Amino acid sequence: MELVENAELSACNSFGFSVIAERFARVDSLSRLQALLDLARERDWPLLLLGGGSNLILKPFLPGLVLQPANSGWQLREEGKRQVVVEVAAGENWHTFVTAMLRAGYYGLENLALIPGNVGAAPIQNIGAYGVELADCLLELDAYDREAGALVTLTAAQCRFGYRDSIFKSACPGRYVIWQLRFALAREFVPRLGYQALRDALAGQRIAAPCAEDVFQAVVAMRQAKLPDPAELGNAGSFFENPVVPEATCRQLRQQFPKLVAFADRPGYMKLAAGWLIDQAGWKGRSRGAVGVYHKQALVLVNHGGGTAAELQLLADEVRASVREMFGIELCQEPRIYPLD
Ligand code: FAD
Ligand code: NAP
């Protein structure tokens, strides 16, 4: 777990961009984490926390220090009749953890199968898929607070989770290094089938009363069919968030675009499918040099090989401008670009 200088990180970001970090360290103990954070502060090094690199866009050179939490393992912390509390280390792979919980008979995470990345990054944007989000099962987490210089516990309420959002992303980015998480999981499986595509997939297999394994397998199969595997085609999943707009805006848009794809959100608001907007603006399957818009899902931007963060950002800006011009809707980018300007 030593400090590596001029580390090549192309295998550590899911776009597969060629990236050199001035300094890089994987940390598996709190004492080592604290020592490196202290060193970075003393030397005034910019700091980037890295998980699996599946939700960020890296420029060719990262000055300062890149730190990757590499602690591992999970443990049962409490056993109740109906529910258990499981503690898991930030450095664990998310999908490996979801699979382990399913095999152990602890339920609630099945709809979140096959999301790339590490457990420690999952709270940052409150990962979500197929009608479930991290906040539905997360009890609390321990994080190193760089302002206080101490490990603190934050309850789910204190994390202020929202749609693809949390304090870690919006209110205080970079302040906390998430170190371990505690989940409240159920002993009895209750399927969460609010998401139409998931219901259709299970109905298509004539599964009327799905078990946890059925839901898990259906989610895995849908994702494998629709999303590019970063090992084969560089991407960071959804590149833009689905815009949430007032109902009146949605009604106006529907007059002009009767096939507009929208879903009820919080009272008075509708969530528009950003992928549909991008598709209608003519971008699905189009490329700009080495980067492009994925042909099966227009919400995903891809690196066909040899692309750069700058090329990707230009493409993203073009896509955003087209959607703005056609629908008057401003798309918000999901993955962050590093180093920050
Ligand atoms: P990274 O990309 O390494 O980091 C993301 C952010 O978290 C950065 O700001 C980083 O600085 C910060 N960070 C990382 N670790 C820590 C830590 N321990 N403490 C504090 N900050 C930290 N997302 C969804 O929500 N739902 C999906 O269904 C989904 N599907 C995807 C499908 C594909 C094919 C891909 C490529 C991505 C998808 N994503 C999805 C996005 C991504 O997988 C998630 O956001 C994931 O949680 C990112 O984890 P990571 O470890 O790769 O984080
Ligand atoms: P999809 O089924 O084609 O649907 C497109 C969008 O419509 C989704 O983003 C989803 O919003 C919304 N949607 C569809 N059915 C819905 C319903 N019944 N209720 C509420 N909203 C609904 O989406 P997809 O691309 O195949 O992705 C499937 C799931 O995986 C989605 O939940 C998506 O968010 C998630 N995913 C996320 C990422 C990422 O990087 N963030 C990448 C890939 C997949 P929501 O996004 O709010 O669910």
Side-chain angles (χ1 to χ4, degrees):
M1 302 270 161
E2 82 278 26
L3 195 64
V4 181
E5 293 195 348
N6 295 317
E8 220 288 314
L9 296 188
S10 59
C12 298
N13 75 98
S14 63
F15 271 114
F17 292 145
S18 293
V19 179
I20 299 288
E22 194 173 8
R23 295 171 201 86
F24 173 67
R26 288 163 52 77
V27 279
D28 64 356
S29 74
L30 262 181
S31 54
R32 178 81 175 133
L33 175 71
Q34 184 157 14
L36 283 169
L37 290 174
D38 288 348
L39 188 66
R41 198 182 45 229
E42 273 167 31
R43 307 271 168 97
D44 214 14
W45 291 336
L47 179 77
L48 171 62
L49 297 167
L50 182 70
S54 66
N55 208 30
L56 31 72
I57 306 163
L58 300 181
K59 292 183 188 170
F61 183 69
L62 300 172
L65 176 63
V66 176
L67 270 188
Q68 188 180 46
N71 51 340
S72 61
W74 63 270
Q75 296 169 47
L76 205 51
R77 282 293 182 206
E78 277 174 43
E79 271 188 280
K81 258 190 179 167
R82 296 193 170 175
Q83 125 175 340
V84 294
V85 174
V86 175
E87 184 174 273
V88 57
E92 280 289 327
N93 173 269
W94 174 259
H95 180 68
T96 306
F97 173 60
V98 172
T99 309
M101 293 303 96
L102 178 75
R103 302 286 173 255
Y106 306 147
Y107 303 119
L109 301 176
E110 307 73 28
N111 299 43
L112 301 177
L114 215 62
I115 297 181
N118 292 353
V119 168
I124 308 296
Q125 68 160 10
N126 181 22
I127 55 168
Y130 299 101
V132 172
E133 55 186 21
L134 180 96
D136 296 333
C137 295
L138 186 80
L139 194 61
E140 58 187 17
L141 56 81
D142 297 334
Y144 190 83
D145 180 350
R146 294 172 62 209
E147 272 182 20
L151 195 72
V152 296
T153 298
L154 299 176
T155 62
Q158 287 172 317
C159 297
R160 282 191 256 143
F161 290 120
Y163 176 58
R164 303 290 189 271
D165 197 24
S166 70
I167 53 160
F168 312 109
K169 186 170 171 185
S170 301
C172 15
R175 174 169 168 182
Y176 297 99
V177 183
I178 296 171
W179 190 247
Q180 55 193 14
L181 289 74
R182 282 179 287 284
F183 288 92
L185 300 173
R187 284 186 174 280
E188 193 183 328
F189 175 65
V190 179
R192 279 180 282 179
L193 304 177
Y195 201 93
Q196 184 70 45
L198 181 54
R199 281 203 303 275
D200 291 348
L202 291 162
Q205 297 173 54
R206 299 183 189 286
I207 299 174
C211 66
E213 182 75 31
D214 294 329
V215 172
F216 174 88
Q217 293 298 350
V219 168
V220 167
M222 278 192 286
R223 296 184 73 99
Q224 283 174 337
K226 196 166 176 187
L227 293 167
D229 178 354
E232 287 162 19
L233 183 61
N235 76 95
S238 305
F239 199 87
F240 300 102
E241 291 170 8
N242 290 317
V244 175
V245 301
E247 275 171 351
T249 308
C250 189
R251 269 197 303 277
Q252 279 164 10
L253 280 169
R254 273 235 164 90
Q255 284 174 359
Q256 208 185 338
F257 306 98
K259 291 186 175 166
L260 183 81
V261 180
F263 301 91
D265 201 71
R266 60 185 193 272
Y269 288 83
M270 299 290 286
K271 181 180 66 184
L272 308 181
W276 188 85
L277 302 177
I278 298 166
D279 189 359
Q280 295 303 303
W283 281 100
K284 201 174 192 174
R286 273 171 71 185
S287 289
R288 281 275 187 271
V291 296
V293 178
Y294 190 51
H295 67 284
K296 290 191 199 170
Q297 165 56 296
L299 196 49
V300 177
L301 301 194
V302 296
N303 172 23
H304 294 291
T308 62
E311 282 177 88
L312 188 76
Q313 202 56 63
L314 275 180
L315 171 67
D317 291 347
E318 264 195 89
V319 168
R320 199 186 286 114
S322 300
V323 168
R324 188 188 303 124
E325 195 179 319
M326 189 165 175
F327 300 99
I329 296 288
E330 196 60 47
L331 291 180
C332 177
Q333 189 164 317
E334 193 181 282
R336 296 274 158 94
I337 190 156
Y338 294 97
L340 304 168
D341 289 322

